[in-house]
Amino acid sequence: MLQRRQGYRFTLDPLLLAHFAMDEGAAQRGRLMDLGTGCGVIPLVLARKLGRKDITALERQARLFSLAERNVYLNRCEREVPLVQGDLRRVGAQLAAGSFAHVLRNPPYRTRASGRSSVSMEKAIARHELACELQDVVRAADHLLVPRGALFMVYPASRLVS
């Protein structure tokens, strides 16, 4: 898995998310969507380590999209992991409604104004709600999911209480 020395680098959270989704059993069936794939870690873990065959990955940032393409190619997962460059806030314009049984998302944990933001815009977008907020993720998942589909996310419980 290639990552840049500077910019976004994945942590343990996407690895846990991929395994949790598969351990829940429901994600064993139906198409999966990774919203905001970064370098492609979640779909590649699902494809290479957990045997999934139909995982679409969406990424907004051009540099990360390019890195995800390279990682998918290097792992020989072009058939299993189609990539889409786009913004989850406009997912309705690119992907059909009700296309996926499961959506996975490792969203930014911090609000725009909380904590120190990284000088790297790539990192800042991954960690702070600069390009999307939780409501945008929920709207995108609602559009993409089949009836009774599931959204899997890693998200701090403290952010859900307001």
Side-chain angles (χ1 to χ4, degrees):
M1 178 67 61
L2 299 176
Q3 299 188 81
R4 291 192 177 84
R5 289 180 195 264
Q6 303 295 318
Y8 166 79
R9 295 179 63 83
F10 71 87
T11 62
L12 183 61
D13 290 348
L15 302 175
L16 294 173
L17 178 59
H19 284 274
F20 175 75
M22 293 305 288
D23 286 347
E24 282 302 297
Q28 299 285 352
R29 299 173 305 280
R31 294 178 66 205
L32 290 121
M33 163 59 77
D34 179 24
L35 284 178
T37 198
C39 64
V41 63
I42 289 175
L44 287 173
V45 166
L46 290 167
R48 295 285 294 173
K49 299 293 182 191
L50 302 176
R52 285 306 311 256
K53 301 286 186 218
D54 194 1
I55 312 119
T56 301
L58 179 80
E59 178 51 52
R60 176 183 182 274
Q61 298 186 67
R63 281 183 43 144
L64 287 174
F65 180 81
S66 176
L67 188 58
E69 280 184 314
R70 185 163 162 93
N71 282 327
V72 167
Y73 172 77
L74 290 172
N75 282 278
R76 299 182 179 133
C77 289
E78 297 94 326
R79 287 188 190 146
E80 294 88 349
V81 183
L83 295 166
V84 177
Q85 186 169 6
D87 188 331
L88 68 82
R89 295 173 297 180
R90 294 174 205 45
V91 76
Q94 287 188 280
L95 298 162
S99 302
F100 297 91
H102 310 284
V103 171
L104 290 84
R105 173 74 174 159
N106 187 26
Y109 299 144
R110 298 184 180 131
T111 63
R112 191 177 286 265
S114 69
R116 289 183 9 211
S117 187
S118 176
V119 295
S120 162
M121 188 52 74
E122 196 173 281
K123 271 187 188 179
I125 288 172
R127 294 181 180 162
H128 287 80
E129 291 178 336
L130 302 177
C132 72
E133 296 179 355
L134 180 60
Q135 297 89 331
D136 299 317
V137 172
V138 171
R139 272 192 291 275
D142 183 53
H143 171 79
L144 293 170
L145 287 168
V146 298
R148 302 181 65 96
L151 170 61
F152 294 94
M153 288 192 339
V154 174
Y155 204 71
S158 62
R159 288 289 316 276
L160 296 175
V161 179
S162 341

